[in-house]
Amino acid sequence: MKNIVILISGGGSNMAAIVRTAQAQNWAKQFNAQVSAVISNKADAKGLVFAKEHSIATAVIDHKAFADQPQPREAFDAALMAEIDKHQPHLVVLAGFMRILTPGFVANYEGRLLNIHPSLLPAFPGLHTHERAIEAGCKFAGATVHRVTAELDHGPILAQAIVPVLPDDTADTLAARVLTQEHLIYPKAVAELLAK
Ligand code: GAR
């Protein structure tokens, strides 16, 4: 079985879209694949509830627990890798996972690590993408599914979706419009990789 491990930090709506698509399209039969675990760096991430309701294994690795270690990021990533590797993943899918990963983590999952970012990369890597798109006067915004490389939000692009920026948009209204598209392109991009 090709195991998919999904990492979240919050609402987990992209994770839920992937889980729903996996069920609706019967990825188990079609690709011999399953979402085997959802892991969060926050115990109160709402997406964990959805995962449990769908009988998916969950785990929490709280990044704050590593704050007093000499190398907190490396220690957190090592603990995260240990948890992920219990599932021997075919793919590791970042879905609203709001931690910057160390080069060691990225190298460990090279070719298996995906992310979704709420902008039309290479425009607006980093945070506050919707505010920045509106401020820049962009007429279009969107989301990007990409492979993860050591440089933040810079890996090879697998899929993009474009939405208009409307004159009265706020960051929230634009984010909501983009998010509906994220829910379409992320499951599709994962399915395309599973089909290879
Ligand atoms: C999504 O918009 C995703 O693109 C973004 O966080 C949101 C998570 O929503 N990711 C990033 O900003 C990564 N830098 P979700 O938890 O409901 O899927």
Side-chain angles (χ1 to χ4, degrees):
M1 193 60 118
K2 293 174 182 170
N3 285 336
I4 302 165
V5 172
I6 305 183
L7 306 189
I8 64 169
S9 296
S13 68
N14 277 291
M15 174 274 296
I18 292 168
V19 168
R20 287 197 178 102
T21 305
Q23 289 181 344
Q25 297 180 351
N26 201 351
W27 286 2
K29 187 156 180 253
Q30 209 185 151
F31 305 126
N32 193 32
Q34 63 178 359
V35 177
S36 55
V38 173
I39 303 173
S40 172
N41 64 309
K42 291 190 172 182
D44 61 355
K46 283 201 192 111
L48 291 172
V49 178
F50 175 94
K52 283 178 191 153
E53 284 169 359
H54 287 74
S55 307
I56 296 167
T58 60
V60 175
I61 309 290
D62 184 351
H63 61 278
K64 292 198 195 113
F66 301 85
D68 57 1
Q69 303 236 354
Q71 291 190 301
R73 270 189 199 282
E74 282 73 9
F76 168 70
D77 279 10
L80 187 59
M81 276 193 261
E83 191 61 44
I84 293 169
D85 288 345
K86 287 180 187 170
H87 302 276
Q88 303 200 324
H90 180 80
L91 291 176
V92 177
V93 173
L94 308 179
F97 187 68
M98 304 306 279
R99 301 295 304 166
I100 293 176
L101 296 161
T102 56
F105 182 100
V106 173
N108 191 52
Y109 298 108
E110 197 190 340
R112 296 185 281 166
L113 189 56
L114 310 181
N115 183 41
I116 189 157
H117 181 75
S119 78
L120 292 171
L121 291 174
F124 308 122
L127 296 174
H128 309 300
T129 53
H130 306 301
E131 287 93 325
R132 288 155 66 205
I134 290 169
E135 216 161 89
C138 295
K139 300 296 181 201
F140 294 94
T144 304
V145 178
H146 65 98
R147 290 189 186 277
V148 177
T149 54
E151 198 180 350
L152 182 71
D153 299 331
H154 269 82
I157 291 170
L158 296 172
Q160 287 187 310
I162 298 173
V163 303
V165 180
L166 301 179
D168 56 355
D169 261 339
T170 63
D172 285 348
T173 59
L174 180 56
R177 192 175 308 119
V178 170
L179 195 59
T180 59
Q181 294 303 310
E182 294 185 40
H183 297 163
L184 301 177
I185 63 169
Y186 214 0
K188 190 161 179 276
V190 172
E192 281 169 8
L193 288 179
L194 293 172
K196 280 188 179 166

